[in-house]
Amino acid sequence: HVRRAIAFWTGSIASLPKEYLPVMHYNIGNAFNVLGDLANAIEQYQSSLDLLAESPECLKNYASVLFQLGRKPEGVLLLERALEINPRHPQSLLSLAIFNIQELQDFEHGVELLSSISLIYAPPRLSRLLRQWRAFANIKLKKFQEAILDLEEVVTKESD
């Protein structure tokens, strides 16, 4: 189904008004990403950004592909650019926090980034991921009470 969607979208690009092109390239990039075709995903994300450079969502997904390819410094730069556009972009904050925790072992900064994400309107998956990563970092920091609070919240939400 994904390949058919890509074929349909790429076939319809020429007939679309220019204002729809960034979103179309972004969606095609996401489809290629799902298929694991990272080179084409990058090409589509770049095309989207060439047309509309102010898309934190596209920058975050592009960064994700770069991380998968081991191009982590470039990915971090894209996440930072996304956060310049929208300092509260939850997915970019989460990705940058995970990078700090996993790659840099900078647990303090990771917890700081995770704690800056508003959970008021966050989807359950994002809230759960945030709390799990923050608990992990707090355990590494020997802040066990904070970790327990996050893990209790995860367990409570999953049993609802």
Side-chain angles (χ1 to χ4, degrees):
H1 294 98
V2 176
R3 290 191 192 286
R4 279 191 280 167
I6 291 170
F8 174 76
W9 289 333
T10 54
S12 64
I13 280 182
S15 63
L16 290 174
K18 188 175 180 177
E19 63 266 18
Y20 294 110
L21 295 179
V23 172
M24 188 61 73
H25 285 292
Y26 169 74
N27 288 331
I28 295 169
N30 287 341
F32 278 125
N33 194 359
V34 166
L35 293 175
D37 186 344
L38 304 183
N40 278 315
I42 285 174
E43 183 179 310
Q44 293 299 319
Y45 291 143
Q46 190 58 59
S47 293
S48 178
L49 291 169
D50 289 344
L51 296 165
L52 180 68
E54 302 294 309
S55 173
E57 292 78 16
C58 188
L59 288 163
K60 185 269 171 203
N61 287 1
Y62 191 172
S64 173
V65 170
L66 293 175
F67 283 133
Q68 291 176 63
L69 294 170
R71 295 167 54 186
K72 294 171 184 171
E74 293 171 82
V76 168
L77 290 175
L78 291 179
L79 291 175
E80 290 171 346
R81 193 166 131 206
L83 291 170
E84 287 172 10
I85 296 165
N86 179 359
R88 294 181 157 194
H89 189 250
Q91 291 84 1
S92 296
L93 286 166
L94 178 63
S95 294
L96 195 55
I98 291 170
F99 176 78
N100 275 272
I101 292 167
Q102 255 185 339
E103 300 295 325
L104 304 179
Q105 305 289 298
D106 187 348
F107 304 112
E108 287 282 350
H109 192 224
V111 168
E112 180 184 315
L113 288 166
L114 292 169
S115 297
S116 72
I117 299 172
S118 172
L119 293 177
I120 294 172
Y121 302 109
R125 181 179 177 278
L126 176 67
S127 178
R128 186 173 49 254
L129 260 175
L130 179 148
R131 291 180 189 286
Q132 289 169 337
W133 277 103
R134 192 167 58 194
F136 173 76
N138 276 321
I139 289 168
K140 292 292 191 176
L141 293 168
K142 300 191 182 326
K143 295 181 179 180
F144 300 114
Q145 191 59 41
E146 288 91 338
I148 289 169
L149 292 172
D150 272 325
L151 292 173
E152 284 176 342
E153 191 67 28
V154 169
V155 170
T156 302
K157 296 286 185 196
E158 286 185 3
S159 65
D160 288 346

